[in-house]
Amino acid sequence: METQFDEIKKDIQLIIDNMAIKNFSEASILLIEVSDVLDEMIDSTDDEVVLREISKYQVLLNHLQIKMSTKE
């Protein structure tokens, strides 16, 4: 499961990088993809530790979504 979180971290960094260079369309696409992966992970686990970790990333993605919607 840790490798999946490593991949999510890389994708979130890509979202932030794209936002930094004003490439909001690419950032938006990545954000949706990562969000979908997190949703799938929620559906496939009942481990409280994993669920807490997923929720941290969801909060971060929500924050990034808000940031993007105010910049576009």
Side-chain angles (χ1 to χ4, degrees), residues 5-62:
F5 284 123
D6 290 340
E7 191 64 34
I8 289 168
K9 288 177 192 173
K10 287 178 195 166
D11 289 342
I12 289 174
Q13 187 59 54
L14 276 174
I15 293 167
I16 294 167
D17 292 346
N18 276 295
M19 288 173 67
I21 60 170
K22 309 274 190 257
N23 188 356
F24 295 113
S25 60
E26 183 65 28
S28 228
I29 292 166
L30 278 167
L31 194 141
I32 292 167
E33 289 173 0
V34 174
S35 191
D36 287 347
V37 168
L38 290 173
D39 288 345
E40 289 172 19
M41 289 172 70
I42 286 173
D43 291 342
S44 65
T45 189
D46 57 2
D47 183 332
E48 284 298 317
V49 174
V50 173
L51 290 171
R52 273 195 297 275
E53 194 70 16
I54 291 169
S55 70
K56 292 176 192 174
Y57 290 110
Q58 287 179 315
V59 168
L60 177 56
L61 288 178
N62 287 338

